[in-house]
Amino acid sequence: MRRSGPRDPADDRHWSGSARFAMGCALVFCAMTMVVDWDAGSLTPVRALLWAALSTAMCAVLLPPRVSAGPGWLAVRTPWRRRMVRTDALVAVRQYDGASAHLVLRDTQGNRLELDPRVLAANPLIWHELDTGVRHSVERGTLRQGAEVLERLGHRIDDETAEAVLRLSGLS
């Protein structure tokens, strides 16, 4: 297992499994639609191309964003674009709850990204990089809105981690 050093970015350690799941779903969809179309006797090269295109679109929709972080930065990459913010120069952090809970981070350069807070809870190295950057933003006075959001999130992540440790050790 590779350790993350001071210059290595921290990556979402669950992303590859989620990406394999998305690819698997798309491949199963493609195979099933082509088999049904072939069994009905209506499979043509154009229809096969249509099923392959729909499967590719399905994979792109199901593919989760890839999150990585390093000293002073956080990046979220989707199939269409890459967004990055300077965590040591954050201006605002907002949390939106509901069916699709997400954090919105903005930095002094106007960069903005959205992030699922569950990624931070599942990846301590990414959380550590973000937390360190936020502390620098607070020290510099750039973070004017949302420090309490990250503080609450940090407490929740710490509580979940402590519960998991206690559960694994048999103490809870």
Side-chain angles (χ1 to χ4, degrees), residues 83-156:
R83 300 239 181 201
M84 190 169 120
V85 293
R86 297 291 314 173
T87 58
D88 56 0
L90 287 175
V91 172
V93 177
R94 290 196 177 101
Q95 183 171 13
Y96 296 95
D97 294 321
S100 65
H102 60 280
L103 290 173
V104 178
L105 292 88
R106 262 191 8 208
D107 66 12
T108 56
Q109 298 169 350
N111 299 319
R112 175 184 181 276
L113 70 76
E114 294 184 17
L115 172 71
D116 187 343
R118 293 177 297 187
V119 172
L120 299 173
N123 295 282
L125 294 175
I126 294 175
W127 169 247
H128 173 71
E129 293 290 356
L130 175 60
D131 188 47
T132 303
V134 166
R135 290 178 196 273
H136 286 122
S137 293
V138 169
E139 287 171 5
R140 292 179 180 162
T142 61
L143 185 58
R144 292 177 231 133
Q145 181 181 15
E148 69 283 347
V149 169
L150 291 172
E151 190 174 323
R152 277 194 316 265
L153 182 61
H155 288 301
R156 195 176 88 212

Side-chain angles (χ1 to χ4, degrees), residues 11-168:
D11 293 317
D12 182 356
R13 59 186 176 171
H14 302 287
W15 182 84
S16 59
S18 298
R20 278 193 301 273
F21 178 74
M23 299 273 275
C25 287
L27 288 173
V28 166
F29 175 76
C30 186
M32 288 178 61
T33 54
M34 285 197 195
V35 165
V36 168
D37 214 1
W38 174 75
D39 188 47
S42 58
L43 185 64
T44 63
V46 172
R47 289 177 67 97
L49 185 63
L50 172 70
W51 293 127
L54 285 173
S55 297
T56 303
M58 179 183 189
C59 182
V61 167
L62 292 176
L63 192 66
R66 188 170 198 159
V67 179
S68 57
W73 60 269
L74 180 72
V76 175
R77 191 172 57 215
T78 66
W80 300 278
R81 69 178 124 187
R82 181 173 191 240
R83 300 239 181 201
M84 190 169 120
V85 293
R86 297 291 314 173
T87 58
D88 56 0
L90 287 175
V91 172
V93 177
R94 290 196 177 101
Q95 183 171 13
Y96 296 95
D97 294 321
S100 65
H102 60 280
L103 290 173
V104 178
L105 292 88
R106 262 191 8 208
D107 66 12
T108 56
Q109 298 169 350
N111 299 319
R112 175 184 181 276
L113 70 76
E114 294 184 17
L115 172 71
D116 187 343
R118 293 177 297 187
V119 172
L120 299 173
N123 295 282
L125 294 175
I126 294 175
W127 169 247
H128 173 71
E129 293 290 356
L130 175 60
D131 188 47
T132 303
V134 166
R135 290 178 196 273
H136 286 122
S137 293
V138 169
E139 287 171 5
R140 292 179 180 162
T142 61
L143 185 58
R144 292 177 231 133
Q145 181 181 15
E148 69 283 347
V149 169
L150 291 172
E151 190 174 323
R152 277 194 316 265
L153 182 61
H155 288 301
R156 195 176 88 212
I157 289 172
D158 291 344
D159 291 346
E160 289 173 6
T161 303
E163 286 177 20
V165 167
L166 291 173
R167 200 173 324 109
L168 287 173

